[in-house]
Amino acid sequence: MLLVVGRIGKPHGLRGEVTVEVRTDEPEARFTPGSVLRTEPGVTPPANPASGPGVPFQVPAELTIEAVRWHQGRLLVAFEGVLERDVAEALRGTLLTVDSGDVASPEDPEEFHDHQLVGLAVVTPAGERVGEVARIDHAPASDLLVVRRSEGRTALIPFVKAIVPEVDLAGGRVVVDPPAGLLDL
């Protein structure tokens, strides 16, 4: 499974540097010189002005990071082979990904990556099936499990120990003990 760690934004300067919208909690681990990031499959690149009208720029399947720096709160990245602003502009909007198999599990047993939770069955302490984890929303107060209910609705469950007492990755389930009415919202 591919995990999105960033999205290439606008070029910065004339020498091919780009801004990157960071989509990972560990940018210092993902964005280091020499790291190879995959580009999102299916990206339709715009025409490259440098190669003439009507000639599309082919986004490479992988990009190797040459240099990284922070500038005014933005991550700036230089990729190997991207030496001009026009080429950097053609990369705009490209998603940067890593394989989930290449991501180490968290050291804290109470911490999980989103991709580990998506697809797990959601059950009550009595074993009654509530639904399935569709995604994780990262809200300011706490993370929320977005649960796809069997009747087609979704439920938002705060991912806090009082409501989610157990996550059993090996068993493929998340145990929730919601307060009355939470699943009816």
Side-chain angles (χ1 to χ4, degrees):
M1 168 185 226
L2 293 178
L3 305 175
V4 176
V5 296
R7 185 176 76 62
I8 297 177
K10 64 183 181 177
H12 180 82
L14 300 174
R15 296 197 171 116
E17 251 183 339
V18 294
T19 60
V20 172
E21 174 190 319
V22 176
R23 295 189 183 174
T24 176
D25 289 342
E26 302 172 325
E28 64 284 343
R30 304 283 161 250
F31 297 99
T32 59
S35 294
V36 177
L37 300 174
R38 296 179 186 177
T39 59
E40 178 65 26
V43 172
T44 304
N48 179 359
S51 58
V55 179
F57 171 77
Q58 190 71 347
V59 175
E62 297 180 338
L63 291 168
T64 302
I65 296 175
E66 187 173 283
V68 177
R69 66 186 176 106
W70 289 93
H71 176 68
Q72 296 180 347
R74 287 191 205 131
L75 183 66
L76 299 179
V77 178
F79 293 106
E80 288 180 8
V82 179
L83 305 174
E84 300 170 356
R85 184 178 181 89
D86 290 341
V87 177
E89 179 64 43
L91 292 173
R92 187 189 289 221
T94 300
L95 295 177
L96 303 170
T97 64
V98 295
D99 189 314
S100 61
D102 297 338
V103 177
S105 294
E107 293 177 18
D108 182 351
E110 298 295 316
E111 187 177 331
F112 305 95
H113 292 297
D114 292 2
H115 72 275
Q116 294 177 297
L117 301 171
V118 172
L120 296 182
V122 179
V123 298
T124 65
E128 179 186 336
R129 185 171 171 89
V130 173
E132 179 180 294
V133 178
R135 69 175 191 275
I136 314 305
D137 283 352
H138 299 281
S142 73
D143 293 338
L144 298 168
L145 296 176
V146 179
V147 178
R148 188 178 310 109
R149 303 288 311 264
S150 57
E151 60 273 6
R153 297 184 345 211
T154 59
L156 299 177
I157 300 176
F159 194 23
V160 295
K161 190 75 169 166
I163 299 173
V164 184
E166 180 184 352
V167 174
D168 180 6
L169 294 178
R173 67 189 188 116
V174 176
V175 177
V176 298
D177 191 10
L182 180 67
L183 297 175
D184 299 325
L185 295 177

